[in-house]
Amino acid sequence: MARAQHDYDDIPGTFVFDAERSRQGYGINMFCMSLMKEDNRKAFKANEAEYLKKFHLTPAQTEAVLKRDYNRLLELGGNIYFTAKLGATDGHSFRHLAATMTGATQDDYAKMMIEGGRSVEGNRSRTGKGGVGSILGEQGKPKAAKAKARAKAKAGKAKAAKSKSKKRK
């Protein structure tokens, strides 16, 4: 079944780990979590393709694991914190994984992050149809959070008015 499209799918450079991706990537994430145990890491390294069969991955997921295509793993439902265990099994640091995923050297990636990360200019939307702007309100807060804040403020004003009215009586 095709994944439903969401406004946040337009954010460049990431795959939002939502409930749908969580369900899609359950096998990937359980595989990665299994790598927390030394015996499982040894079994995986001894015969990677065979070990993966225990987790009922799709062919695309299996291919992404075997190729160590971390961006594809995230797209297919992997959670970055779980997939990092695969990198660690191969002896790689998280910095190495992040650099690989962004197409940078480790030093260039570290420098970029120390300097505040990627520029938002030209990096707001994959499609040019709004992307982050359609998800975030004018002050950078998610629309749902802004609506909740407005409702809370309105309730507070109503409570204050009621309290003031009772004091007058």
Side-chain angles (χ1 to χ4, degrees):
M1 179 179 5
R3 189 180 141 70
Q5 291 296 300
H6 304 280
D7 285 345
Y8 53 75
D9 288 332
D10 199 36
I11 301 171
T14 192
F15 297 100
V16 175
F17 187 74
D18 59 9
E20 191 173 353
R21 265 213 176 85
S22 176
R23 286 187 296 276
Q24 177 189 16
Y26 180 81
I28 294 170
N29 296 317
M30 291 303 99
F31 151 68
C32 290
M33 288 298 292
S34 79
L35 298 175
M36 291 178 66
K37 295 184 178 179
E38 184 178 0
D39 290 345
N40 292 339
R41 290 190 298 272
K42 287 179 180 176
F44 172 65
K45 293 304 272 182
N47 189 337
E48 294 184 2
E50 189 61 32
Y51 184 82
L52 290 174
K53 289 178 183 177
K54 295 196 267 187
F55 298 93
H56 309 289
L57 304 180
T58 67
Q61 291 171 331
T62 299
E63 179 181 13
V65 170
L66 296 175
K67 288 184 173 181
R68 304 305 196 265
D69 186 344
Y70 291 95
N71 287 326
R72 183 76 170 131
L73 285 169
L74 299 184
E75 182 181 8
L76 296 172
N79 178 292
I80 187 62
Y81 298 107
F82 296 155
T83 56
K85 292 172 186 358
L86 175 59
T89 296
D90 290 337
H92 298 301
S93 67
F94 193 84
R95 179 172 141 178
H96 170 88
L97 298 178
T100 299
M101 293 169 74
T102 58
T105 67
Q106 289 187 58
D107 289 341
D108 287 346
Y109 176 79
K111 182 177 183 242
M112 175 187 64
M113 295 309 292
I114 289 168
E115 292 174 354
R118 289 183 179 173
S119 168
V120 296
E121 295 307 316
N123 200 19
R124 294 186 183 271
S125 166
R126 287 183 177 147
T127 64
K129 295 180 183 175
V132 176
S134 66
I135 299 164
L136 300 179
E138 65 277 359
Q139 295 176 350
K141 292 182 181 177
K143 288 180 181 177
K146 289 185 70 161
K148 188 175 180 180
R150 280 193 301 272
K152 187 176 180 180
K154 188 176 180 180
K157 286 179 185 177
K159 185 177 180 181
K162 189 175 182 180
S163 175
K164 196 174 188 180
S165 173
K166 282 185 180 180
K167 286 182 183 177
R168 288 184 189 159
K169 292 182 182 179

